Amino acid sequence: MKKALITGITGQDGSYLAELLLEKGYEVYGIMRRKSVVDYGNVEHIKDKIHFIYADMTDIVSLIAAMRISQADEVYNLAAQSFVATSWEQPLATAEIDALGVTNMLEAIRTVKPEAHFYQASTSEMFGLVQEMPQKETTPFYPRSPYGVAKLYGHWITKNYRESYGMFACSGILFNHESERRGKEFVTRKITDAVAHIRYGLQECVELGNLDSRRDWGHSKDYVRAMWLMLQQDEPDDYVIATNETRTVREFVETAFRHAGIEVEWSGSGVDEIGKDAATGKTIVRVNRNFFRPAEVDVLLGNPEKAEKKLGWTREISFSDLVERMVRHDMELTAKENR
């Protein structure tokens, strides 16, 4: 029986990955930060199948202990301060977790079990001000947020440990991937949650930032499968995981409302743009300048050709299905709240 250690196990990706590994017969260990109130997050439903270890990405002693306890064959580093907006408010904390935390985890592996396979969760935000379209593994990086900068350090230190110590260390450069388990602070879940509340008459309007931002959106369940595939290869490498499709935030909004039976009509432009319910004429979407980033990332579009050829990975959940799943989930949650 293989053993896997997952950091960030209670989050969106961590929960889907834990489910996948349990299905494949792994013994799964998960790192949790000690809190006054225990919170299993997205793995509440499978918590009895997971071995939890208290540790922190900023404390290498605790990570070494976690490796000794788990004796993991595979380590998936998904822990991060992952909300881009927060990275401007907490740049040092973001760097300590998303950058130095990766080095701590690599050192813990090198100290206890250097033959273990390591996966680092890199991000399309490292491309930032994109230098070519679409972005692939060889595209130059140009991060536009403290989050992107910190993640770039984590990406390069992973490559450095692979080349310096011969460790099996991979980075998955994952483009935006969402799901019904996404936190409500992220724009996609903010939208689908608002759609449900507006549909049930519990909210009048949702305020958003740049509606023209374009992203390459997939479903987390597809993307964690790519993580696993990377660690099953004969040689470690880095891979872009994406859909090769890009859509605006505006398109996400339209699709989400459509799945709730509401058509959006737009008027105005820029910070004056509003979206109205075509049937009632009520304003249901407003642009709020406060939600714009200090440095915008206008477009992200990934080319997953390498992953498709070398890993045999393919995306199974379409953009429309992704949005429909999220809307349906939030409609069900809101209906329960309303009752």
Side-chain angles (χ1 to χ4, degrees):
M1 181 184 288
K2 277 188 175 181
K3 297 180 180 181
L5 176 65
I6 304 173
T7 73
I9 195 169
T10 62
Q12 170 188 258
D13 292 359
S15 63
Y16 282 117
L17 179 61
E19 289 174 349
L20 176 68
L21 297 179
L22 287 169
E23 288 171 6
K24 293 184 178 296
Y26 280 66
E27 188 172 353
V28 176
Y29 292 80
I31 285 179
M32 289 181 66
R33 294 178 65 189
R34 189 174 292 278
K35 299 178 182 177
S36 57
V37 178
V38 177
D39 180 10
Y40 293 102
N42 288 309
V43 291
E44 176 72 35
H45 64 297
I46 53 172
K47 65 182 181 183
D48 295 334
K49 299 178 182 179
I50 298 168
H51 305 286
F52 291 99
I53 302 170
Y54 285 113
D56 193 292
M57 296 302 294
T58 63
D59 181 7
I60 190 170
V61 174
S62 68
L63 296 179
I64 290 173
M67 280 301 299
R68 285 180 174 152
I69 293 168
S70 66
Q71 288 296 310
D73 302 295
E74 298 174 4
V75 178
Y76 296 86
N77 183 35
L78 310 183
Q81 189 301 98
S82 58
F83 192 41
V84 176
T86 299
S87 74
W88 275 285
E89 299 167 359
Q90 301 177 16
L92 297 182
T94 301
E96 288 174 359
I97 299 167
D98 297 6
L100 298 181
V102 184
T103 312
N104 288 336
M105 192 72 252
L106 285 164
E107 273 296 296
I109 295 169
R110 192 168 75 91
T111 300
V112 178
K113 195 171 182 178
E115 69 273 19
H117 288 197
F118 175 73
Y119 171 83
Q120 165 61 14
S122 289
T123 170
S124 58
E125 287 286 336
M126 300 187 306
F127 293 118
L129 187 62
V130 298
Q131 303 298 294
E132 71 175 332
M133 292 284 288
Q135 295 90 60
K136 52 184 183 290
E137 292 79 7
T138 56
T139 301
F141 298 117
Y142 197 138
R144 297 265 282 171
S145 66
Y147 168 75
V149 173
K151 277 291 191 176
L152 186 53
Y153 175 97
H155 180 81
W156 280 111
I157 201 67
T158 299
K159 186 187 290 285
N160 184 258
Y161 269 63
R162 179 171 73 217
E163 296 175 353
S164 299
Y165 303 115
M167 293 173 65
F168 194 108
C170 300
S171 286
I173 307 173
L174 272 55
F175 279 63
N176 294 68
H177 49 290
E178 316 297 329
S179 77
E180 43 275 47
R181 298 179 186 176
R182 179 57 100 182
K184 291 182 181 180
E185 69 273 21
F186 290 85
V187 67
T188 50
R189 186 73 193 288
K190 178 181 178 179
I191 291 168
T192 58
D193 179 67
V195 165
H197 280 77
I198 290 169
R199 177 67 178 80
Y200 282 106
L202 302 175
Q203 181 175 332
E204 291 186 357
C205 181
V206 59
E207 293 190 344
L208 302 169
N210 186 0
L211 297 177
D212 293 315
S213 289
R214 304 185 68 89
R215 293 295 184 268
D216 184 327
W217 275 301
H219 195 289
S220 173
K221 197 168 185 178
D222 282 338
Y223 285 41
V224 300
R225 186 162 32 85
M227 299 176 189
W228 177 77
L229 285 169
M230 289 180 211
L231 298 197
Q232 312 315 307
Q233 304 306 302
D234 293 331
E235 298 294 334
D237 207 348
D238 304 326
Y239 297 88
V240 162
I241 306 299
T243 71
N244 204 24
E245 298 174 359
T246 186
R247 304 181 188 260
T248 63
V249 173
R250 187 184 292 100
E251 288 176 87
F252 195 104
V253 169
E254 292 169 348
T255 305
F257 273 108
R258 193 172 299 122
H259 282 305
I262 300 171
E263 290 294 328
V264 181
E265 287 184 347
W266 301 99
S267 61
S269 62
V271 293
D272 297 319
E273 186 168 10
I274 60 171
K276 294 184 177 182
D277 182 336
T280 66
K282 292 182 178 179
T283 297
I284 53 178
V285 183
R286 289 187 185 278
V287 173
N288 186 332
R289 171 60 72 177
N290 292 328
F291 295 130
F292 279 62
R293 295 182 180 185
E296 283 288 332
V297 174
D298 295 320
V299 58
L300 292 172
L301 173 64
N303 180 356
E305 183 178 2
K306 180 179 175 181
E308 291 172 348
K309 288 184 176 178
K310 289 195 172 185
L311 303 179
W313 177 82
T314 54
R315 179 266 295 260
E316 295 178 356
I317 301 171
S318 70
F319 172 77
S320 181
D321 288 343
L322 159 69
V323 181
E324 181 181 13
R325 285 180 181 222
M326 294 179 68
V327 170
R328 184 171 63 244
H329 172 78
D330 282 330
M331 292 277 282
E332 291 171 357
L333 279 182
T334 306
K336 289 179 183 178
E337 293 171 4
N338 207 16
R339 286 199 294 270

